[in-house]
Amino acid sequence: MNFEHQSSDEQGSRLLSLKGRIDSATAGAFEQAVQDLFATPGARALLDFAAVDYISSAGLRVVLMAAKRAKQAQGRLLLCGLPQHVREVFEISGFLKIIDSVTDRSEGLRQLNA
């Protein structure tokens, strides 16, 4: 399966819905998708992983890059909808200790806009 994404503005935050596999072959497209999320100071973004089947270290690198950009822009990045097998990759890598995650999209938008 390939990687797809859809971007939208939801309640003043940027929502990026991800789908498919995020691996070395698709990490470039993922990076393009997140590249401008934090171009504006104070920007808020939610990455929705609900339809992601797999993420490799190449995909994790892009998430880490997005988290760094969010911090530099004094913005906020949230992850949501992590399927159990994807969540385990984030837990094992230690990412969930440095990047906030919530169970679903509505909770993520609520927190970003609180």
Side-chain angles (χ1 to χ4, degrees), residues 37-59:
L37 288 177
F38 299 99
T40 307
R44 300 175 310 244
L46 180 64
L47 300 184
D48 187 349
F49 284 84
V52 171
D53 301 316
Y54 173 82
I55 189 165
S56 72
S57 59

Side-chain angles (χ1 to χ4, degrees), residues 66-108:
K68 287 181 179 179
R69 285 190 177 161
K71 188 173 184 178
Q72 290 169 346
Q74 297 177 341
R76 179 132 188 245
L77 174 68
L78 265 181
L79 311 180
C80 75
L82 296 168
Q84 186 57 39
H85 57 284
V86 173
R87 182 175 200 74
E88 288 173 4
V89 174
F90 277 91
E91 286 174 349
I92 290 168
S93 65
F95 276 50
L96 295 183
K97 292 178 181 166
I98 58 171
I99 302 172
D100 293 330
S101 105
V102 295
T103 54
D104 59 35
R105 181 182 296 192
S106 61
E107 174 64 16

Side-chain angles (χ1 to χ4, degrees), residues 5 7 10-11 14-15 36-37 39 41 46 55 62 71-73 78 80 86 95 109-110 113:
H5 70 278
S7 181
E10 301 281 335
Q11 305 166 15
R14 199 83 182 137
L15 171 64
D36 295 328
L37 288 177
L46 180 64
I55 189 165
V62 175
K71 188 173 184 178
Q72 290 169 346
L78 265 181
C80 75
V86 173
F95 276 50
L109 291 172
R110 188 188 67 70
N113 298 309

